């Protein structure tokens, strides 16, 4: 079963670009496959390379509703899947005093009292949906077990209502920062995509697209400096998000070209540790910071 | 020579795909039949025209972790090679190394990927063949690179780039800031070209000797499965980059274990005692009280030449984990022992030079430079035994090769009796223990000794053994 949003790899790249997401060939190919094979897409990579942004871009392209499940330590079934609205059920019981037990029972476990959480919402939706399960690695192992059922069969079993199967398969994106190893069972059900730092040329295009008004030459030198920083042995290497921030900073400062003073004064925008700043300054032959 | 590439047929692809999957499995990848089927469907979906798309499609379906990617790429190149180089050039361009270098310099300056790939093919074809030509017996990347010497092109490429930029904005300002990056960029391009040459040579050898054989042997493993004792400099550098991600993972694992431990075990004695008031029926379970506070860690490392790589990696890893413990103390020894905790704490900003600095600044050697476990352990017990207490976990790192001196078992016994736990991590495989001058089995009788041969094993051991 496919979600059927795209017709070819080029189609993916073009339409994502039209919404402002420039995809590398690897990203475009894998997104196309996820769409074509109807499998969830597990995206890993360093912070700030556009993992979450990818899901949003796909939703924009497909004109689909984005449903987001933000994982955190302690997220559970009632936050991720569904919950009965107990307060409302109690009200219903007190309101219908004269009813027979059978009537009440069938009534309070009906649709009206079901609080649908992201996973169930995505499965029941008749419209195209993109389900984003963000920072999956932050959730506990039990939630992974829950995801297994949902992601392999796209169905959820509510004991009182029966099994709910997706009428229309959502496009599922899971993101992970690899702070915990996800289980092999979950990985097997997904297509795996690692988004690394983009190539020089792609990053330049991203910069000019995201920071309008940026001089071409300045963008090129920015990307080269960032590339050099990434090759260094730093505690936290700058990501695409930092490159964009840096470009915006320079634009705000009105710097037309990159020179020693500008780099020295604004290095703090892209490097977040004092050790890193000192080291980068030494390697780039900047004078004392 | 056969040229299997563009005109891959469906049947051919199935064979190649199963061959690829078999080779990857031989390298320890867990790939099930379901994934192979998905891979086939993925290939069908993206088509066979674009090789890079085929690569990404297979990577998306067959891989589960980024760490496997480098190895996958090398195996992929063997099973789905780009067209096997312009065969015609091999006879024509024989020995014209100078012209080849000239074109290589131009391609490097322009950073023209496809030209570089073509040149790698040509270079291996014309310079790398050995044995009786024309159908030479094999291709050597080493020979190609030794004759082509791409690393000596640095100055030439730099000059070309400078000319080009001078043309662009003639008579403009002083040298731009980014000029200082040029050299490093050229070096990276040259390194990439060298890797292309190596791939090209492997592909050609594979066509000659059979893919399966080359895929199993000539393709190196992933960084975290490289044997500590055999790792080269580049591999150790690569390993060092994995310290922080690994530390983060271990910290999460430790936190999870700690939480589980905090939920507590049932204290049977107190539960039964409490049950007396309910007639012996244990109504209220009493949980064992947690001792507050984090454990202490002492690391005792052999940093002599043979095992230095292993020791340095572990020291950095433990330093990165230091906030998980109330106290971490690190001692290094060769034949004398000295505390290096401060050196390591400062060393996290320059991990590459750590080993050299430890040897230079700490007093580790007496009259000779050979490791001597007996006197080193004796000195530790004499000077630093206070570091070990009932809440301390001690890790001893080393191959237990005593150079025929007294292993000083009483010292180890003393450490064991004082510490909460003692673990010995040995970078040698168990079959080598107590061969030659190793006293491993003698030590293993006293303390818990485990083999720890690569980063993956170390990560698992540390995650399991560290106290919570």
């Amino acid at each position: 079963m496919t979600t059927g949003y795209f017709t070819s790899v080029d189609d993916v790249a073009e339409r994502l670009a039209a919404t402002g997401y420039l995809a590398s060939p690897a990203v475009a190919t894998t997104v196309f496959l996820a769409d074509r094979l109807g499998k969830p897409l597990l995206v890993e990579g360093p912070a700030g390379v556009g993992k979450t942004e990818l899901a949003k871009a796909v939703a924009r392209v497909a004109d689909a509703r984005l449903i987001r499940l933000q994982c955190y330590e302690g997220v559970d079934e009632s936050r991720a899947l569904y919950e009965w609205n107990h307060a409302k059920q109690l009200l219903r019981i007190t309101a219908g005093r004269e009813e027979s037990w059978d009537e009440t029972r069938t009534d309070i476990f009906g649709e009206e009292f079901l609080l649908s959480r992201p996973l169930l919402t995505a499965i029941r939706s008749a419209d195209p949906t993109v389900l984003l399960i963000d920072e999956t690695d932050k959730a506990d192992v039990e939630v992974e077990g829950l995801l297994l059922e949902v992601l392999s069969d796209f169905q959820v079993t509510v004991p009182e209502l029966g099994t709910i199967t997706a009428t229309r398969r959502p496009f599922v994106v899971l993101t992970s920062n690899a702070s915990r190893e996800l289980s092999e069972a979950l990985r097997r059900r997904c297509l795996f995509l690692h988004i690394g730092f983009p190539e020089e040329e792609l990053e330049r295009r991203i910069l000019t697209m995201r920071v309008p008004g940026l001089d071409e030459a300045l963008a090129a030198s920015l990307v080269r400096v960032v590339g050099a920083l990434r090759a260094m042995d730093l505690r936290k290497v700058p990501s695409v998000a930092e490159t964009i921030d840096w470009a915006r900073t320079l634009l705000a400062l009105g710097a037309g070209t990159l020179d020693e003073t500008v780099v020295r004064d604004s290095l703090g925008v892209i490097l977040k540790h004092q050790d890193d700043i000192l080291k980068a300054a030494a390697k780039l032959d900047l004078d004392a910071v | 020579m056969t040229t299997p590439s563009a005109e891959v047929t469906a049947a051919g692809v199935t064979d190649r795909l199963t061959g690829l999957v078999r080779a990857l499995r031989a390298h320890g990848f867990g790939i099930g039949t379901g994934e192979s089927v998905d891979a086939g469907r993925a290939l069908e979906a993206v088509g066979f025209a674009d090789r890079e798309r085929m690569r990404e499609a297979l990577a998306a379906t067959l891989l589960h972790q980024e760490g496997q990617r480098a190895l996958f790429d090398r195996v992929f190149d063997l099973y789905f090679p780009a067209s096997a180089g312009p065969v015609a050039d091999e006879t024509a361009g024989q020995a014209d190394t100078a012209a080849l270098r000239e074109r290589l310099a131009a391609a490097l300056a322009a950073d023209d990927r496809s030209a570089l790939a073509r040149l790698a093919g040509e270079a291996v074809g014309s310079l790398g063949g050995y044995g009786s030509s024309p159908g030479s017996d094999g291709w050597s990347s080493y020979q190609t690179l030794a004759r082509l010497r791409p690393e000596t092109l640095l100055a030439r490429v730099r000059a070309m780039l400078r000319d080009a930029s001078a043309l662009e904005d003639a008579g403009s300002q002083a040298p731009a800031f980014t000029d200082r990056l040029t050299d490093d960029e050229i070096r990276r391009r040259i390194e990439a070209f060298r890797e292309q040459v190596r791939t090209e040579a492997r592909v050609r050898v594979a066509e000659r000797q059979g893919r399966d054989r080359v895929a199993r042997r000539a393709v190196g493993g992933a960084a975290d499965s490289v044997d500590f004792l055999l790792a080269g400099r580049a591999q150790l550098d690569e390993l060092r980059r994995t310290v922080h991600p690994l530390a983060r993972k271990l910290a999460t694992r430790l936190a999870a274990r700690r939480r589980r431990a905090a939920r507590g075990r049932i204290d049977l004695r107190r539960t039964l005692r409490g049950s007396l008031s309910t007639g012996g029926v244990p109504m209220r379970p009493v949980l064992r009280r947690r001792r507050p506070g984090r454990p202490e860690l002492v690391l005792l490392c052999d940093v002599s030449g043979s095992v230095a790589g292993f020791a340095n990696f572990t020291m950095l890893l433990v330093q990165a984990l230091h906030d998980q413990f109330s106290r971490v103390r690190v001692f290094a020894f060769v034949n004398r022992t000295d505390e290096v905790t401060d050196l390591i704490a400062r060393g996290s900003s320059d991990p590459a030079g750590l080993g050299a600095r430890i040897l230079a600044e700490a007093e580790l050697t007496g009259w000779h430079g050979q490791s001597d476990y007996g006197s080193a352990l004796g000195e530790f017990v004499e000077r630093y035994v206070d570091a070990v207490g009932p809440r301390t976990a001690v890790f001893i790192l080393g191959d237990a090769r005593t150079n025929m001196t007294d292993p000083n078992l009483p010292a180890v016994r003393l450490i064991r009796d004082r510490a909460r736990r003692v673990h010995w991590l040995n970078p040698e495989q168990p079959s080598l223990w107590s061969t030659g001058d190793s006293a491993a089995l003698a030590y293993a009788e006293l303390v818990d000794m485990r083999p720890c041969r690569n980063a993956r094993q170390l990560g698992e051991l540390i995650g399991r053994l560290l106290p919570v």
Side-chain angles (χ1 to χ4, degrees), chain B residues 123-412:
Chain B
V124 174
S126 61
L127 302 176
Y130 59 84
S132 54
S133 49
S136 53
D137 293 339
W139 278 272
S140 153
S141 60
Y142 179 75
Q143 181 181 313
T144 314
L145 292 172
R147 288 193 190 159
L148 195 59
R149 286 180 295 122
E151 60 281 359
T152 55
L153 286 173
L154 179 65
R156 172 96 58 81
V157 176
R158 190 197 299 139
M160 283 168 121
L161 281 174
R162 194 158 294 157
D163 291 348
S165 68
L167 270 181
E168 228 166 71
D169 39 29
S172 74
Q173 71 291 75
F177 175 77
T178 43
D179 282 355
R180 65 189 70 184
L181 307 175
T182 313
D183 280 9
D184 279 335
E185 281 171 5
I186 299 173
R187 266 185 218 114
R188 259 177 274 155
R189 286 180 205 169
I190 292 178
E191 189 42 52
F193 174 75
R194 293 167 67 94
E195 186 55 42
Q196 274 175 329
V197 168
R198 282 183 210 120
T199 308
E200 183 66 31
R202 252 195 319 261
V203 169
R204 289 178 182 232
V205 172
E207 271 164 21
R208 210 167 183 77
Q209 303 185 349
R211 270 181 230 117
D212 298 344
R213 207 170 129 212
V214 176
R216 272 176 189 67
R217 289 228 216 112
V219 179
D224 64 351
S225 58
V226 171
D227 200 316
F228 280 126
L229 298 180
L230 305 177
R233 205 188 155 71
Q235 284 165 321
L236 285 177
D237 284 347
E238 200 180 326
L239 265 184
R240 223 170 19 241
R241 286 171 184 272
T242 66
V243 162
H244 279 283
L246 183 60
R248 214 162 42 125
K249 246 175 240 176
L250 287 175
T252 326
R253 216 179 291 168
L254 283 176
R257 268 177 60 196
R258 210 166 272 152
R259 250 195 328 275
R260 223 170 297 142
R263 262 177 235 153
R265 295 200 212 125
I266 287 188
D267 185 337
L268 201 60
R269 196 182 60 80
R270 285 174 52 221
T271 306
L272 287 180
R273 181 153 165 60
S275 75
L276 288 182
S277 59
T278 49
V281 181
M283 300 281 278
R284 244 169 26 86
V286 184
L287 298 182
R288 188 164 290 167
R289 280 196 204 108
R290 287 274 303 158
R291 277 196 225 98
R294 298 181 162 194
E296 295 175 358
L297 195 65
V298 165
L299 208 60
L300 190 55
C301 311
D302 180 357
V303 291
S304 63
S306 54
V307 290
F310 169 56
N312 290 346
F313 181 76
T314 315
M315 287 182 195
L316 288 172
L317 183 61
V318 168
Q319 170 59 27
L321 278 171
H322 72 99
D323 54 351
Q324 297 291 319
F325 301 95
S326 64
R327 192 150 192 223
V328 176
R329 292 182 75 178
V330 184
F331 300 88
F333 66 89
V334 175
N335 49 47
R336 300 194 51 195
T337 310
D338 201 357
E339 177 157 10
V340 293
T341 313
D342 293 340
L343 281 177
I344 310 248
R346 276 187 280 130
S348 53
S349 59
D350 174 28
L354 179 66
R357 250 197 347 274
I358 286 179
L359 287 178
E361 293 184 26
E363 250 180 71
L364 304 179
T365 49
W367 294 292
H368 59 94
Q370 289 183 314
S371 60
D372 175 354
Y373 279 69
S375 49
L377 288 169
E379 190 177 355
F380 175 76
V381 168
E382 219 170 86
R383 286 173 59 190
Y384 301 109
V385 81
D386 292 341
V388 182
R391 285 180 44 201
T392 324
V394 181
F395 280 79
I396 306 177
L397 275 55
D399 56 4
R401 296 210 169 266
T402 55
N403 286 314
M404 298 303 175
T405 51
D406 170 35
N408 199 351
L409 297 177
V412 178

Side-chain angles (χ1 to χ4, degrees), chain A residues 50-64:
Chain A
K51 299 188 291 289
T52 308
E53 200 53 43
L54 174 63
K56 291 184 186 163
V58 171
R60 277 198 301 272
V61 166
D63 199 14

Side-chain angles (χ1 to χ4, degrees), chain B residues 246 250 253 455-465:
Chain B
L246 183 60
L250 287 175
R253 216 179 291 168
R456 194 187 305 161
Q457 278 183 346
L458 180 66
E460 277 166 21
L461 281 174
I462 295 232
R464 222 176 39 234
L465 299 181

Side-chain angles (χ1 to χ4, degrees), chain A residues 67 77-83 115-122:
Chain A
I67 297 175
E77 210 176 12
S78 57
R79 294 275 147 221
L81 205 51
Y82 70 91
E83 199 175 8
L115 292 176
S116 186
R117 301 295 186 206
L119 291 182
L120 185 61
T121 315

Side-chain angles (χ1 to χ4, degrees), chain A residues 1 9-10 25-26 29-30 32-33 36-39 42 44 73 137 140 177-181 184 187-188 190-194 199-200 220-222 224-225 227-228 230-233 235 257-260 263 275 279 284-286, chain B residues 30-32 34-35 38 41-43 45-46 52-54 56-61 63-66 69 111 113 173 176-182 184-185 188-189 237 240-241 244-245 248-250 252-253 259 348-352:
Chain A
M1 195 154 101
V9 179
D10 295 317
T29 311
T30 319
F32 171 68
L33 284 175
R36 190 45 68 92
L37 304 182
K39 291 187 91 175
L42 170 61
E44 282 190 353
E73 219 172 277
D137 51 331
D140 304 315
N177 264 326
S179 77
R180 173 173 71 83
E181 206 67 74
E184 196 67 6
R187 289 176 177 276
R188 271 180 200 288
C190 300
L191 291 179
F192 177 74
L193 171 65
H194 181 271
E199 303 231 325
E200 216 179 293
S221 15
L222 274 179
R224 282 179 68 189
V225 174
R230 283 184 193 144
M232 289 175 199
D233 202 358
R235 279 173 71 183
T257 52
L258 218 50
D259 59 38
E260 206 152 305
V263 175
D275 301 352
K279 194 173 188 180
L284 291 174
D285 299 329
L286 296 175
Chain B
I31 300 176
E35 278 122 309
D38 276 342
R41 284 170 59 206
L43 278 187
V46 297
E52 288 312 306
R53 278 182 194 166
M54 291 169 72
E56 296 303 336
L58 290 179
T61 43
L63 299 190
H64 300 129
Q65 284 162 41
E66 177 55 13
R69 182 64 196 246
D111 197 15
R113 300 282 163 81
Q173 71 291 75
F177 175 77
T178 43
D179 282 355
R180 65 189 70 184
L181 307 175
T182 313
D184 279 335
E185 281 171 5
R188 259 177 274 155
R189 286 180 205 169
D237 284 347
R240 223 170 19 241
R241 286 171 184 272
H244 279 283
R248 214 162 42 125
K249 246 175 240 176
L250 287 175
T252 326
R253 216 179 291 168
R259 250 195 328 275
S348 53
S349 59
D350 174 28

